[in-house]
PDB file of all heavy atoms in Angstrom:
ATOM      1  N   ASN A  49      52.818 192.246  83.083  1.00  0.00           N
ATOM      2  CA  ASN A  49      52.316 193.606  82.875  1.00  0.00           C
ATOM      3  C   ASN A  49      51.002 193.642  82.130  1.00  0.00           C
ATOM      4  O   ASN A  49      50.721 192.705  81.368  1.00  0.00           O
ATOM      5  CB  ASN A  49      53.379 194.429  82.030  1.00  0.00           C
ATOM      6  CG  ASN A  49      54.709 194.327  82.599  1.00  0.00           C
ATOM      7  OD1 ASN A  49      55.050 194.960  83.556  1.00  0.00           O
ATOM      8  ND2 ASN A  49      55.640 193.510  81.957  1.00  0.00           N
ATOM      9  N   LEU A  57      50.815 192.816  69.287  1.00  0.00           N
ATOM     10  CA  LEU A  57      51.652 193.148  68.236  1.00  0.00           C
ATOM     11  C   LEU A  57      52.931 192.253  68.256  1.00  0.00           C
ATOM     12  O   LEU A  57      53.432 191.833  67.208  1.00  0.00           O
ATOM     13  CB  LEU A  57      52.119 194.590  68.298  1.00  0.00           C
ATOM     14  CG  LEU A  57      51.029 195.674  68.075  1.00  0.00           C
ATOM     15  CD1 LEU A  57      51.537 197.035  68.260  1.00  0.00           C
ATOM     16  CD2 LEU A  57      50.541 195.509  66.615  1.00  0.00           C
ATOM     17  N   VAL A 141      66.305 215.039  69.689  1.00  0.00           N
ATOM     18  CA  VAL A 141      67.259 214.631  68.639  1.00  0.00           C
ATOM     19  C   VAL A 141      67.403 215.725  67.478  1.00  0.00           C
ATOM     20  O   VAL A 141      68.466 215.886  66.918  1.00  0.00           O
ATOM     21  CB  VAL A 141      66.931 213.294  67.970  1.00  0.00           C
ATOM     22  CG1 VAL A 141      65.565 213.354  67.269  1.00  0.00           C
ATOM     23  CG2 VAL A 141      67.990 212.808  67.064  1.00  0.00           C
ATOM     24  N   ARG A 248      48.483 209.996  86.554  1.00  0.00           N
ATOM     25  CA  ARG A 248      47.406 210.712  87.223  1.00  0.00           C
ATOM     26  C   ARG A 248      47.507 212.224  87.081  1.00  0.00           C
ATOM     27  O   ARG A 248      46.982 212.982  87.809  1.00  0.00           O
ATOM     28  CB  ARG A 248      47.459 210.380  88.765  1.00  0.00           C
ATOM     29  CG  ARG A 248      46.092 210.430  89.465  1.00  0.00           C
ATOM     30  CD  ARG A 248      46.115 209.759  90.781  1.00  0.00           C
ATOM     31  NE  ARG A 248      47.164 210.325  91.722  1.00  0.00           N
ATOM     32  CZ  ARG A 248      47.596 209.757  92.824  1.00  0.00           C
ATOM     33  NH1 ARG A 248      47.204 208.538  93.072  1.00  0.00           N
ATOM     34  NH2 ARG A 248      48.489 210.348  93.575  1.00  0.00           N
ATOM     35  N   HIS A 269      36.851 205.959  82.302  1.00  0.00           N
ATOM     36  CA  HIS A 269      35.907 205.392  83.263  1.00  0.00           C
ATOM     37  C   HIS A 269      34.500 205.789  82.793  1.00  0.00           C
ATOM     38  O   HIS A 269      34.229 206.943  82.538  1.00  0.00           O
ATOM     39  CB  HIS A 269      36.195 205.909  84.659  1.00  0.00           C
ATOM     40  CG  HIS A 269      35.227 205.472  85.676  1.00  0.00           C
ATOM     41  ND1 HIS A 269      35.123 204.108  86.080  1.00  0.00           N
ATOM     42  CD2 HIS A 269      34.375 206.163  86.453  1.00  0.00           C
ATOM     43  CE1 HIS A 269      34.176 204.064  87.037  1.00  0.00           C
ATOM     44  NE2 HIS A 269      33.742 205.242  87.298  1.00  0.00           N
ATOM     45  N   TYR A 276      34.304 211.890  96.104  1.00  0.00           N
ATOM     46  CA  TYR A 276      35.583 212.577  96.110  1.00  0.00           C
ATOM     47  C   TYR A 276      35.985 213.101  94.744  1.00  0.00           C
ATOM     48  O   TYR A 276      36.311 214.234  94.578  1.00  0.00           O
ATOM     49  CB  TYR A 276      36.712 211.552  96.663  1.00  0.00           C
ATOM     50  CG  TYR A 276      38.096 212.076  96.516  1.00  0.00           C
ATOM     51  CD1 TYR A 276      38.561 213.044  97.410  1.00  0.00           C
ATOM     52  CD2 TYR A 276      38.929 211.634  95.483  1.00  0.00           C
ATOM     53  CE1 TYR A 276      39.874 213.536  97.337  1.00  0.00           C
ATOM     54  CE2 TYR A 276      40.181 212.176  95.378  1.00  0.00           C
ATOM     55  CZ  TYR A 276      40.691 213.121  96.269  1.00  0.00           C
ATOM     56  OH  TYR A 276      41.968 213.559  96.149  1.00  0.00           O
ATOM     57  N   ILE A 321      49.083 202.958  72.129  1.00  0.00           N
ATOM     58  CA  ILE A 321      49.347 202.073  70.984  1.00  0.00           C
ATOM     59  C   ILE A 321      48.071 201.420  70.509  1.00  0.00           C
ATOM     60  O   ILE A 321      47.838 201.322  69.326  1.00  0.00           O
ATOM     61  CB  ILE A 321      50.394 200.967  71.445  1.00  0.00           C
ATOM     62  CG1 ILE A 321      51.697 201.684  71.745  1.00  0.00           C
ATOM     63  CG2 ILE A 321      50.518 199.924  70.335  1.00  0.00           C
ATOM     64  CD1 ILE A 321      52.750 200.828  72.429  1.00  0.00           C
ATOM     65  N   ILE A 338      52.917 198.444  58.327  1.00  0.00           N
ATOM     66  CA  ILE A 338      54.002 197.814  59.082  1.00  0.00           C
ATOM     67  C   ILE A 338      54.285 198.640  60.310  1.00  0.00           C
ATOM     68  O   ILE A 338      54.546 199.870  60.245  1.00  0.00           O
ATOM     69  CB  ILE A 338      55.269 197.603  58.241  1.00  0.00           C
ATOM     70  CG1 ILE A 338      54.989 196.678  57.114  1.00  0.00           C
ATOM     71  CG2 ILE A 338      56.373 197.080  59.112  1.00  0.00           C
ATOM     72  CD1 ILE A 338      56.118 196.527  56.089  1.00  0.00           C
ATOM     73  N   LEU A 390      63.170 201.311  54.271  1.00  0.00           N
ATOM     74  CA  LEU A 390      63.225 201.778  52.900  1.00  0.00           C
ATOM     75  C   LEU A 390      63.210 200.578  51.958  1.00  0.00           C
ATOM     76  O   LEU A 390      62.536 200.662  50.911  1.00  0.00           O
ATOM     77  CB  LEU A 390      64.515 202.601  52.661  1.00  0.00           C
ATOM     78  CG  LEU A 390      64.567 203.973  53.386  1.00  0.00           C
ATOM     79  CD1 LEU A 390      65.928 204.648  53.156  1.00  0.00           C
ATOM     80  CD2 LEU A 390      63.423 204.894  52.909  1.00  0.00           C
ATOM     81  N   PHE A 402      74.023 204.337  54.274  1.00  0.00           N
ATOM     82  CA  PHE A 402      74.012 204.255  55.774  1.00  0.00           C
ATOM     83  C   PHE A 402      75.139 203.408  56.388  1.00  0.00           C
ATOM     84  O   PHE A 402      75.719 202.594  55.710  1.00  0.00           O
ATOM     85  CB  PHE A 402      72.639 203.679  56.191  1.00  0.00           C
ATOM     86  CG  PHE A 402      71.468 204.294  55.486  1.00  0.00           C
ATOM     87  CD1 PHE A 402      70.797 203.637  54.466  1.00  0.00           C
ATOM     88  CD2 PHE A 402      71.041 205.555  55.832  1.00  0.00           C
ATOM     89  CE1 PHE A 402      69.714 204.184  53.820  1.00  0.00           C
ATOM     90  CE2 PHE A 402      69.954 206.134  55.214  1.00  0.00           C
ATOM     91  CZ  PHE A 402      69.314 205.438  54.163  1.00  0.00           C
ATOM     92  N   MET A 422      79.880 193.948  65.684  1.00  0.00           N
ATOM     93  CA  MET A 422      78.904 194.932  66.110  1.00  0.00           C
ATOM     94  C   MET A 422      79.729 196.104  66.774  1.00  0.00           C
ATOM     95  O   MET A 422      80.530 195.815  67.677  1.00  0.00           O
ATOM     96  CB  MET A 422      77.876 194.399  67.026  1.00  0.00           C
ATOM     97  CG  MET A 422      76.693 195.332  67.238  1.00  0.00           C
ATOM     98  SD  MET A 422      75.580 195.489  65.828  1.00  0.00           S
ATOM     99  CE  MET A 422      74.747 193.852  65.897  1.00  0.00           C
ATOM    100  N   LYS A 434      82.766 190.689  68.478  1.00  0.00           N
ATOM    101  CA  LYS A 434      82.954 189.816  67.388  1.00  0.00           C
ATOM    102  C   LYS A 434      83.147 188.362  67.960  1.00  0.00           C
ATOM    103  O   LYS A 434      83.956 188.178  68.853  1.00  0.00           O
ATOM    104  CB  LYS A 434      84.146 190.183  66.467  1.00  0.00           C
ATOM    105  CG  LYS A 434      84.334 189.322  65.279  1.00  0.00           C
ATOM    106  CD  LYS A 434      85.499 189.818  64.418  1.00  0.00           C
ATOM    107  CE  LYS A 434      85.688 188.923  63.198  1.00  0.00           C
ATOM    108  NZ  LYS A 434      86.837 189.453  62.349  1.00  0.00           N
ATOM    109  N   ASN A 450      95.110 215.834  84.176  1.00  0.00           N
ATOM    110  CA  ASN A 450      95.985 216.695  84.880  1.00  0.00           C
ATOM    111  C   ASN A 450      95.338 217.863  85.607  1.00  0.00           C
ATOM    112  O   ASN A 450      95.970 218.857  85.979  1.00  0.00           O
ATOM    113  CB  ASN A 450      97.037 217.285  83.925  1.00  0.00           C
ATOM    114  CG  ASN A 450      97.867 216.068  83.244  1.00  0.00           C
ATOM    115  OD1 ASN A 450      98.245 215.151  83.916  1.00  0.00           O
ATOM    116  ND2 ASN A 450      97.968 216.208  81.919  1.00  0.00           N
ATOM    117  N   SER A 458      85.436 223.201  90.641  1.00  0.00           N
ATOM    118  CA  SER A 458      84.668 224.131  89.840  1.00  0.00           C
ATOM    119  C   SER A 458      83.750 223.420  88.833  1.00  0.00           C
ATOM    120  O   SER A 458      82.601 223.798  88.631  1.00  0.00           O
ATOM    121  CB  SER A 458      85.581 225.115  89.136  1.00  0.00           C
ATOM    122  OG  SER A 458      84.872 226.014  88.288  1.00  0.00           O
ATOM    123  N   LYS A 468      70.441 221.101  90.230  1.00  0.00           N
ATOM    124  CA  LYS A 468      69.583 221.699  91.238  1.00  0.00           C
ATOM    125  C   LYS A 468      68.481 222.554  90.577  1.00  0.00           C
ATOM    126  O   LYS A 468      67.308 222.572  90.983  1.00  0.00           O
ATOM    127  CB  LYS A 468      70.429 222.492  92.203  1.00  0.00           C
ATOM    128  CG  LYS A 468      69.624 223.043  93.393  1.00  0.00           C
ATOM    129  CD  LYS A 468      70.542 223.811  94.390  1.00  0.00           C
ATOM    130  CE  LYS A 468      69.683 224.370  95.507  1.00  0.00           C
ATOM    131  NZ  LYS A 468      70.591 225.094  96.457  1.00  0.00           N
ATOM    132  N   GLN A 485      82.466 207.208  82.200  1.00  0.00           N
ATOM    133  CA  GLN A 485      82.736 206.921  80.754  1.00  0.00           C
ATOM    134  C   GLN A 485      81.851 207.782  79.904  1.00  0.00           C
ATOM    135  O   GLN A 485      82.239 208.109  78.777  1.00  0.00           O
ATOM    136  CB  GLN A 485      82.349 205.480  80.437  1.00  0.00           C
ATOM    137  CG  GLN A 485      83.179 204.465  81.108  1.00  0.00           C
ATOM    138  CD  GLN A 485      82.766 203.013  80.752  1.00  0.00           C
ATOM    139  OE1 GLN A 485      81.967 202.793  79.881  1.00  0.00           O
ATOM    140  NE2 GLN A 485      83.273 202.027  81.490  1.00  0.00           N
ATOM    141  N   PHE A 512      88.390 193.489  78.078  1.00  0.00           N
ATOM    142  CA  PHE A 512      88.141 192.420  77.157  1.00  0.00           C
ATOM    143  C   PHE A 512      87.265 191.374  77.824  1.00  0.00           C
ATOM    144  O   PHE A 512      87.663 190.917  78.915  1.00  0.00           O
ATOM    145  CB  PHE A 512      89.460 191.833  76.575  1.00  0.00           C
ATOM    146  CG  PHE A 512      89.248 190.849  75.491  1.00  0.00           C
ATOM    147  CD1 PHE A 512      88.981 191.217  74.181  1.00  0.00           C
ATOM    148  CD2 PHE A 512      89.286 189.478  75.775  1.00  0.00           C
ATOM    149  CE1 PHE A 512      88.856 190.343  73.197  1.00  0.00           C
ATOM    150  CE2 PHE A 512      89.123 188.524  74.762  1.00  0.00           C
ATOM    151  CZ  PHE A 512      88.906 188.973  73.393  1.00  0.00           C
ATOM    152  N   TYR A 513      86.191 190.928  77.171  1.00  0.00           N
ATOM    153  CA  TYR A 513      85.281 190.084  77.821  1.00  0.00           C
ATOM    154  C   TYR A 513      84.899 188.873  76.935  1.00  0.00           C
ATOM    155  O   TYR A 513      84.753 189.068  75.694  1.00  0.00           O
ATOM    156  CB  TYR A 513      83.980 190.776  78.270  1.00  0.00           C
ATOM    157  CG  TYR A 513      84.243 191.866  79.263  1.00  0.00           C
ATOM    158  CD1 TYR A 513      84.262 193.207  78.786  1.00  0.00           C
ATOM    159  CD2 TYR A 513      84.481 191.654  80.567  1.00  0.00           C
ATOM    160  CE1 TYR A 513      84.531 194.275  79.665  1.00  0.00           C
ATOM    161  CE2 TYR A 513      84.753 192.693  81.491  1.00  0.00           C
ATOM    162  CZ  TYR A 513      84.815 193.981  81.007  1.00  0.00           C
ATOM    163  OH  TYR A 513      85.006 194.993  81.867  1.00  0.00           O
ATOM    164  N   ILE A 535      92.388 189.527  71.233  1.00  0.00           N
ATOM    165  CA  ILE A 535      92.391 190.966  71.646  1.00  0.00           C
ATOM    166  C   ILE A 535      92.973 191.809  70.544  1.00  0.00           C
ATOM    167  O   ILE A 535      92.423 192.860  70.092  1.00  0.00           O
ATOM    168  CB  ILE A 535      93.197 191.179  72.950  1.00  0.00           C
ATOM    169  CG1 ILE A 535      92.428 190.539  74.130  1.00  0.00           C
ATOM    170  CG2 ILE A 535      93.357 192.707  73.200  1.00  0.00           C
ATOM    171  CD1 ILE A 535      93.262 190.514  75.391  1.00  0.00           C
ATOM    172  N   LYS A 544      90.004 199.959  62.507  1.00  0.00           N
ATOM    173  CA  LYS A 544      89.573 200.154  61.116  1.00  0.00           C
ATOM    174  C   LYS A 544      88.205 200.835  61.030  1.00  0.00           C
ATOM    175  O   LYS A 544      87.881 201.726  60.243  1.00  0.00           O
ATOM    176  CB  LYS A 544      89.521 198.817  60.375  1.00  0.00           C
ATOM    177  CG  LYS A 544      90.922 198.284  60.037  1.00  0.00           C
ATOM    178  CD  LYS A 544      90.718 196.910  59.318  1.00  0.00           C
ATOM    179  CE  LYS A 544      92.169 196.296  59.041  1.00  0.00           C
ATOM    180  NZ  LYS A 544      92.012 194.944  58.423  1.00  0.00           N
TER     181      LYS A 544
END
Side-chain angles (χ1 to χ4, degrees):
N49 309 285
L57 292 175
V141 65
R248 207 164 61 198
H269 177 65
Y276 171 78
I321 294 167
I338 294 173
L390 292 175
F402 311 104
M422 195 72 76
K434 183 178 182 180
N450 301 316
S458 175
K468 185 178 180 181
Q485 296 180 10
F512 186 79
Y513 301 101
I535 292 170
K544 290 179 180 178

